[in-house]
Amino acid sequence: MAFLEKMSLWVNRVLLGIAGFFLAGMILLTCANIFMRLVWLPLRGTFELMGYFGAVATAFALGYTQIRKGHIAVDIVVQRFSAGTRRALRGVNALLCMAFFALAAWRIGAYAMNLHETGEVTETLRIVYYPFTWAVSVGCAALSLVFLVELLKSFLEKGDSEP
Amino acid sequence: MSLTLVGVLGILLLLLAMFFLGMPVGFAMGLVGFCGFWYVVSFKAAVSMVGNDVWATFSKYGLTVVPLFIFLGYLAFNSGIAERLYNAAYRWFGHWRGGLAVATIGADELFAAICGSNTATAATMGTVALPQMKKYGYHTMLSSGTVVTGGTLGTVMPPSVVLIIIGLQTKQSIIKLFLGGILPAILLGLLFVLTIVILCRVHPHYGPAGPRSTWTERFKALAGTLEAVAIFLLVIGGLYLGWFTPTEAGAVGVFFTLCFTVPFGRLGWKGLVDSVRDTLKISAMVFFLVTGAIIFGRFLAVTRLPFMVAEFAAGLPVSPYVILAMVLMIYLVGGCFVDSLGFLVLTIPIFFPLGMALGFDPVWYAIILTMITTMGAITPPVGVNIYVVKALAPEIELSTIFKSVSFFLLACVVCIVILIAFPGIVLIIPGMAG
């Protein structure tokens, strides 16, 4: 259990670090495009690359955001239940969310595989974009892993361990 | 079972997941939207829809504006820009009775012009202004409410994350929404100042006058506002003049904020890393909130519920403003229990078509919804700004903050009434931009 929790934290921290680089890339790419547009010609493919960079940056941050309870949730009703009920409800919540994001990861991964097999390329730069699609799938899978840990914690830990 | 009933049950299920399981709003919308679509159409179609919508939303160019403006706000938050803004406002207004509170609103207004988040604005100004007001003997009935409500200016004054989300969800021009938010934000700020003036006239001990600054000190302090003014003019001026797209404006704002702060040692490595981490956290939350709303919106669309609600409301033999008042009441009550941004994203698929069916201008309607949403951030029990200020000043009782905020809530209501009576206040600048 502790190993799984540590692994989930490590994976999501690494993904967050990579996301930071993609955020920096978005700023550099946009500024470079504006500069090049002023002095010569705009950089081709900026729009499509920005979309893909944004996808990686945010999808890779999904799991870490959940670990830090950064996704908006309403807990005013849940807080009024007993510790045991809260733990059970957290377990149900984690199970549903884990299944939903596992499904999303699987579906997006299948789409990425299809893009890979058909050799689909972007409209302007004519480069393959399935790696970005895979990245979003990995982001969803990492979030699903976080919920798996939450699910196990709700079963295995005694008392109310909500941070 | 009729499709309308399925739609209503879907909404009930969503509320159940949110309130009784504590499921994050975006995830609950995605999950219930998926289940509903599965029930109405098929499992295969629902799975495909979720996969396509998550990928299409996350890779959408239009959404890349979100992390850039959030990053701009966090850089401003971590680089001390707010302190210099507050110092300038304090030098100019500090010697008035209640002057420090007025200075807080003034600095809030300027800070909001470069920061798109109400919590960041409240947290920043709380850090800077609360100790100063305490030092000069300000009553917590005035100081706490000023900081809590001043933060709401960050939601209305462009660049605003809430306006970006509304623009993306309703397929409106973000530039027009930004321009439409300028005068209402100034009006709201003026009404907050008026509230402070009245409070200090009725209770002079709430805000004793501070020391008078010399003219040299005042003009010297004014220099500290130049970077914020320059960033605002560049970002919003560039948008107004058509130099940049909103995403480009965000990137340029970030670039120049880094240029103004990093070389002068105002933003260290820790500040930069914190800004990146917080930006990614908020962006991930916003992206999935939008994705969840899209998935839930697709489910509602197949049940035709939003259209039926819009048709029904438009056919009622009452003034559209009566229906508007009811919608605003729902937002006010809903905003008390659900985070304001979450509630807005959740309800836009239903209430925006309704507003359009009633014949309201989309920019004006969006600004009115934003204004009412801001009130959700300062109303108990979920008002996030209240807890931000409580965390910054644990010695202030929550009941004191609530009482203090109630004075300013009246100003928010007056502002909304004025905007409804005079829609030109919202529409004049977007109209000039064409």
Side-chain angles (χ1 to χ4, degrees):
Chain A
M1 175 63 209
F3 169 75
L4 198 62
E5 191 174 3
K6 269 185 190 165
M7 191 183 79
S8 164
L9 187 63
W10 183 82
V11 166
N12 281 292
R13 273 191 180 152
V14 169
L15 291 180
L16 190 81
I18 299 169
F21 282 105
F22 276 91
L23 178 68
M26 288 166 74
I27 294 154
L28 288 175
L29 181 63
T30 309
C31 290
N33 181 44
I34 297 169
F35 178 74
M36 291 304 289
R37 192 169 67 206
L38 287 172
V39 298
W40 190 38
L41 282 171
L43 291 176
R44 283 176 68 238
T46 301
F47 276 30
E48 56 195 29
L49 280 182
M50 277 295 284
Y52 297 143
F53 283 15
V56 179
T58 46
F60 276 8
L62 278 172
Y64 185 82
T65 307
Q66 179 56 28
I67 291 172
R68 296 283 170 236
K69 302 288 173 218
H71 291 286
I72 294 173
V74 189
D75 57 0
I76 51 169
V77 178
V78 179
Q79 275 175 356
R80 294 180 190 279
F81 296 135
S82 67
T85 313
R86 272 206 301 269
R87 209 171 52 239
L89 291 174
R90 263 207 319 276
V92 175
N93 177 26
L95 178 68
L96 290 171
C97 288
M98 182 192 74
F100 179 69
F101 282 100
L103 192 80
W106 163 66
R107 191 57 226 161
I108 299 166
Y111 178 59
M113 210 168 328
N114 184 256
L115 291 175
H116 187 184
E117 282 164 3
T118 55
E120 191 90 24
V121 291
T122 63
E123 279 179 25
T124 314
L125 289 176
R126 315 296 298 166
I127 55 167
V128 290
Y129 63 93
Y130 69 86
F132 300 108
T133 317
W134 267 120
V136 174
S137 171
V138 168
C140 289
L143 179 55
S144 188
L145 176 66
V146 174
F147 280 116
L148 173 66
V149 172
E150 284 187 17
L151 176 67
L152 293 176
K153 273 169 87 174
S154 72
F155 280 129
L156 300 176
E157 287 186 2
K158 286 178 183 165
D160 186 28
S161 59
E162 183 74 48
Chain B
M1 203 187 308
S2 78
L3 285 179
T4 315
L5 189 61
V6 174
V8 174
L9 286 177
I11 292 173
L12 289 177
L13 202 63
L14 174 67
L15 295 175
L16 214 66
M18 274 166 45
F19 282 99
F20 287 90
L21 293 180
M23 191 179 282
V25 179
F27 302 170
M29 284 193 288
L31 185 62
V32 174
F34 162 73
C35 293
F37 206 83
W38 174 7
Y39 181 80
V40 176
V41 187
S42 70
F43 177 76
K44 204 178 164 191
V47 172
S48 281
M49 187 258 297
V50 166
N52 289 345
D53 279 345
V54 173
W55 163 245
T57 311
F58 273 64
S59 60
K60 197 177 192 172
Y61 174 77
L63 266 180
T64 55
V65 64
V66 174
L68 298 181
F69 273 114
I70 292 173
F71 193 35
L72 173 60
Y74 273 106
L75 289 176
F77 173 63
N78 285 314
S79 64
I81 286 179
E83 282 164 36
R84 291 187 288 283
L85 290 175
Y86 181 74
N87 183 44
Y90 160 69
R91 294 287 174 200
W92 282 82
F93 305 117
H95 59 285
W96 294 1
R97 196 187 287 159
L100 287 179
V102 173
T104 306
I105 296 295
D108 269 323
E109 195 86 77
L110 285 169
F111 189 71
I114 49 171
C115 175
S117 156
N118 62 357
T119 36
T121 307
T124 310
M125 255 348 120
T127 315
V128 179
L130 279 175
Q132 287 290 325
M133 287 198 267
K134 191 178 175 187
K135 183 177 160 190
Y136 287 105
Y138 272 54
H139 199 289
T140 48
M141 279 292 280
L142 178 64
S143 60
S144 60
T146 304
V147 173
V148 168
T149 48
T152 61
L153 294 167
T155 312
V156 192
M157 183 63 115
S160 149
V161 174
V162 170
L163 289 177
I164 293 171
I165 302 297
I166 294 182
L168 292 168
Q169 255 195 303
T170 61
K171 298 186 172 58
Q172 282 192 75
S173 157
I174 291 170
I175 299 173
K176 283 197 172 177
L177 290 177
F178 275 7
L179 297 176
I182 295 176
L183 290 182
I186 293 172
L187 175 68
L188 187 61
L190 289 175
L191 287 168
F192 286 162
V193 169
L194 187 67
T195 308
I196 293 165
V197 170
I198 293 170
L199 274 176
C200 289
R201 190 160 280 268
V202 179
H203 307 283
H205 65 287
Y206 275 13
R212 183 182 285 273
S213 301
T214 64
W215 285 101
T216 319
E217 283 171 333
R218 289 184 198 180
F219 282 105
K220 218 172 166 180
L222 212 55
T225 65
L226 288 179
E227 56 198 332
V229 173
I231 293 165
F232 176 73
L233 288 179
L234 187 71
V235 170
I236 302 301
L239 281 173
Y240 182 85
L241 296 170
W243 293 349
F244 315 124
T245 64
T247 300
E248 288 175 344
V252 167
V254 167
F255 182 76
F256 278 92
T257 306
L258 288 171
C259 290
F260 282 135
T261 53
V262 174
F264 303 104
R266 289 171 188 162
L267 185 74
W269 177 248
K270 187 183 177 298
L272 190 62
V273 171
D274 285 351
S275 300
V276 170
R277 194 187 49 222
D278 290 338
T279 298
L280 291 168
K281 264 169 56 187
I282 302 279
S283 303
M285 179 271 287
V286 169
F287 268 51
F288 210 88
L289 208 52
V290 174
T291 309
I294 289 174
I295 295 171
F296 189 66
R298 286 201 198 283
F299 158 60
L300 286 184
V302 293
T303 65
R304 291 196 43 80
L305 188 66
F307 313 107
M308 290 187 67
V309 170
E311 277 170 23
F312 170 74
L316 284 175
V318 290
S319 159
Y321 291 99
V322 174
I323 298 168
L324 177 68
M326 286 161 63
V327 171
L328 295 184
M329 199 51 78
I330 292 170
Y331 272 88
L332 196 59
V333 174
C336 292
F337 298 100
V338 185
D339 175 273
S340 44
L341 181 62
F343 192 71
L344 189 76
V345 171
L346 178 73
T347 50
I348 283 255
I350 296 170
F351 290 125
F352 202 79
L354 172 64
M356 296 307 94
L358 294 172
F360 294 132
D361 181 276
V363 173
W364 175 84
Y365 190 61
I367 297 293
I368 294 288
L369 291 187
T370 306
M371 296 286 298
I372 197 82
T373 304
T374 63
M375 290 174 70
I378 55 172
T379 43
V382 181
V384 62
N385 284 13
I386 291 174
Y387 298 102
V388 167
V389 170
K390 176 68 185 165
L392 290 170
E395 71 279 6
I396 305 178
E397 292 292 322
L398 262 180
S399 57
T400 306
I401 305 179
F402 288 147
K403 272 186 210 158
S404 179
V405 165
S406 62
F407 299 125
F408 293 89
L409 277 174
L410 191 65
C412 294
V413 173
V414 171
C415 186
I416 291 172
V417 171
I418 293 175
L419 294 180
I420 291 172
F422 305 100
I425 298 171
V426 175
L427 299 174
I428 189 163
I429 300 183
M432 278 156 55

